[in-house]
Amino acid sequence: DGAGAVRVAVGDISGRMWRGQPLPPGTYGLWAPDGFIAVSMHKVTEVADDTGTSTTSTTYVDIPDFSLTFSLDKEAECLLYMSLHASVYSTSSTATGSYQMVLDGIPIPETHRQIGIAAGVAELTGNWWMGSVTALTRRVLSPGQYTLKGQFAAFPGSTISAAGRTIGVLALTR
């Protein structure tokens, strides 16, 4: 403020007072006199893959090399996210691919995404469509170990791909 008092701090907030006690060394996040949010963990898996990996499976299967395991030592609000370059292909007039995240093998419904194409008549070379698929969701998770994965499934007659991809978790504690 105009008097020189710190109203907000971002980044290393170690030593800032909270409930009469200084925050411990190594605390990063957002601090204000009436509260703070600390980033307790950020883990990311990135795959730089121009070729990609593909499937024709009509049921969800794990996208190779697209998972991460993380641990929480206390309850945290977690932002789970994935982003990938997707493509669909078919020699018929339609092609559709579905993508989702799963946490410990359980699908996260709000992360379900589809990409597809509906064209008149496919020529001999077939129909291609490419684009980005991104999903973000929030979960409050208890202490423990978790595995987050990306999965994909193809509409019958389609081949779908996932190329350059990122999957991550950002844990926020208070």
Side-chain angles (χ1 to χ4, degrees):
D1 68 8
V6 176
R7 298 288 180 207
V8 175
V10 177
D12 184 356
I13 57 174
S14 305
R16 302 274 181 188
M17 296 304 289
W18 172 247
R19 295 187 178 169
Q21 299 290 323
L23 292 172
T27 303
Y28 291 84
L30 172 69
W31 173 91
D34 58 350
F36 76 94
I37 298 174
V39 176
S40 61
M41 186 267 305
H42 185 214
K43 189 166 184 181
V44 177
T45 296
E46 293 182 309
V47 179
D49 182 0
D50 293 334
T51 305
T53 183
S54 63
T55 189
T56 57
S57 175
T58 56
T59 58
Y60 277 103
V61 293
D62 292 346
I63 300 171
D65 303 317
F66 199 46
S67 69
L68 62 85
T69 299
F70 62 97
S71 297
L72 300 172
D73 58 359
K74 61 182 173 179
E75 183 178 275
E77 183 164 357
C78 296
L79 301 176
L80 311 171
Y81 60 91
M82 75 172 184
S83 180
L84 56 93
H85 182 76
S87 66
V88 294
Y89 170 80
S90 179
T91 55
S92 72
S93 61
T94 61
T96 303
S98 297
Y99 301 82
Q100 70 179 5
M101 285 190 289
V102 295
L103 185 62
D104 290 338
I106 300 170
I108 305 172
E110 67 272 20
T111 67
H112 176 84
R113 301 289 187 268
Q114 285 189 314
I115 186 171
I117 187 171
V121 176
E123 297 180 15
L124 294 176
T125 57
N127 286 312
W128 280 96
W129 181 257
M130 292 180 270
S132 295
V133 172
T134 302
L136 171 73
T137 192
R138 175 188 68 84
R139 288 278 192 277
V140 175
L141 299 176
S142 300
Q145 183 169 307
Y146 298 89
T147 299
L148 181 65
K149 294 182 178 184
Q151 294 185 327
F152 56 1
F155 187 79
S158 301
T159 300
I160 64 168
S161 300
R165 48 202 183 272
T166 301
I167 192 164
V169 59
L170 175 67
L172 306 171
T173 59
R174 186 175 181 149

